[in-house]
Amino acid sequence: MPDEPKTLDPAARPATTVGDSPAPDRDRPAGTAPRDTEATTVTQATPTDAPAAPAVPVHRRVLVPVVLGLVLAALNLRPAITSLGALLEEVSEGLHMSGSVAGVLTSVPPLCFAVFGITAPRLARRFGPAAVVCAGMAAIFAGLVLRPLAGGTAAFLAASALALMGIAVSNVLMPVIVKRYFPDRVGTMTGLYSMALALGTSVAAAATVPMTDALGGDWRLGLGVWAVLAALAVLPWLPLLRDRDGGRAGASRTDNGASRTGAGASRTDNGASRTRAGSPRMDTGAPRTEAKAPAQAAAPRVTRSRTAWALGAFFGLQATGAYITMGWMPQIFRDAGVPASTAGVLLAVTMVMGVPLAFVIPRLATRMKTQGPIVVALALCGLGGYTGLFLAPAAGAWIWAVLLGVSNCAFPLALTMIGLRSRTGAGVVRLSAFAQSVGYLISIPGPLLVGVLYQHSGGWGLPIALMGGLMVPQMIVGILAGRDRTVEDEC
């Protein structure tokens, strides 16, 4: 049973064509095999189909650094945020921030993700996804090194923005890397890096305060130590800097399973072989198609898709809850009388719930025609957790942390749905950039609004009510985004 219910299989496609019909066999050159008129188009595999192999094999020597790079990159996508959440009170005091300014600080991550994430597809087309992710890891390292050296709020925000810029482009390109190198294992690989992302998030939340205490109580050292992990994440991507074709063997250029060779040699495009140097055209098992059809299929205009907008809204609402949780939950527990170290561990518990569930949920989602039931289950856990925080934040702290951790697993579900809602690699690139950029734009006001409400209301009742209320629209748009369709069907 494959991990992905919809695959692109250039090797075995039923007969639907665009444009001219195939020439009869009497026209084929001597010495060639008879034409199979039922040869090429896109198939949508059911869960009972065997996994489709990529049209051109991927070198095993390429897969090793890709897997290692995915895991290390994912480990670095959240420590810059959760380490700050654990020390937000100390940072606010050290930089003389008000509650509103601290709210702005917690809104910087989604703002950077929206602004810089939209540039990821263009950068990937020019330099290759692997090179952009490598640069993203380097930016995270630089930002985490510079942030502890900041002498004021503006410099601290600038250094944070540099690290978040690297996180933003890597966020967008993680589903693209998975679709490109592991087209028949989207669920498994999405689960792997989602699990690593959750692990990095939880470890940073739990370990930052104890490490800060061990380093003499200086919050600057407690934040800066995470630069070491970012430096390690750069290394696996270095061998892939020139890998522009997805690691395919024997191809000078590969795009969605189509390999092409230079002038004077044969050109292969979706199973159709053509000669360039004035020789007769030969079709090896594929009817002739219009030249523009593959390009149109490979680059859908996702802004015309209702599913893309629903997925963007779902991504935005789940990101709102996640960044409110990462930025403010330790402070909620500390204000309820929970010690600072315990509050950090509670945030870690919330984040660590994503380690097993981030591996299970994508695999489960790829085996379901619609992902609506998972959306509803996660939202109900969120409602339960916020209700508990409202009524008894300290008494049931561990239970609420677990429930909110389960609810935050809407993130790996959203990433999985990005891969499921498009049939082509180019479609995944556009949908990932669109959904994440729109989503992070939606999530920007949330953490800021929580900080303003907290400062002006003098308590956490109103902010927590807002957090719980957002679960309802998240449930609605998640059901719409989880319907069994692709953006290509709507564009």
Side-chain angles (χ1 to χ4, degrees), residues 385-407:
Y386 287 126
T387 301
L389 278 181
F390 185 87
L391 297 176
W398 297 100
I399 298 174
W400 318 142
V402 169
L403 287 174
L404 291 175
V406 175
S407 177

Side-chain angles (χ1 to χ4, degrees), residues 283-363:
D283 290 322
T284 58
R288 185 157 55 95
T289 62
E290 292 290 345
K292 293 183 180 180
Q296 291 172 350
R301 296 185 177 181
V302 294
T303 54
R304 298 180 178 180
S305 168
R306 295 181 180 179
T307 297
W309 283 103
L311 187 53
F314 176 68
F315 198 99
L317 290 171
Q318 67 81 26
T320 300
Y323 287 106
I324 289 174
T325 299
M326 286 187 282
W328 289 110
M329 200 175 82
Q331 194 64 47
I332 293 174
F333 286 126
R334 291 176 71 167
D335 288 350
V338 177
S341 58
T342 304
V345 173
L346 286 167
L347 178 59
V349 168
T350 298
M351 299 297 107
V352 82
M353 292 304 300
V355 176
L357 292 179
F359 191 74
V360 172
I361 288 176
R363 294 175 63 86

Side-chain angles (χ1 to χ4, degrees), residues 58-59 61-70 127-134 177 180-181 234-247:
V58 179
H59 283 301
R61 63 178 175 79
V62 172
L63 294 183
V64 173
V66 171
V67 173
L68 184 60
L70 279 172
F127 302 105
V132 177
V133 173
C134 183
I177 294 287
R180 188 171 190 173
Y181 290 92
V234 176
L235 302 179
W237 297 100
L238 295 177
L240 300 169
L241 288 179
R242 295 187 179 183
D243 184 33
R244 303 290 296 274
D245 63 0

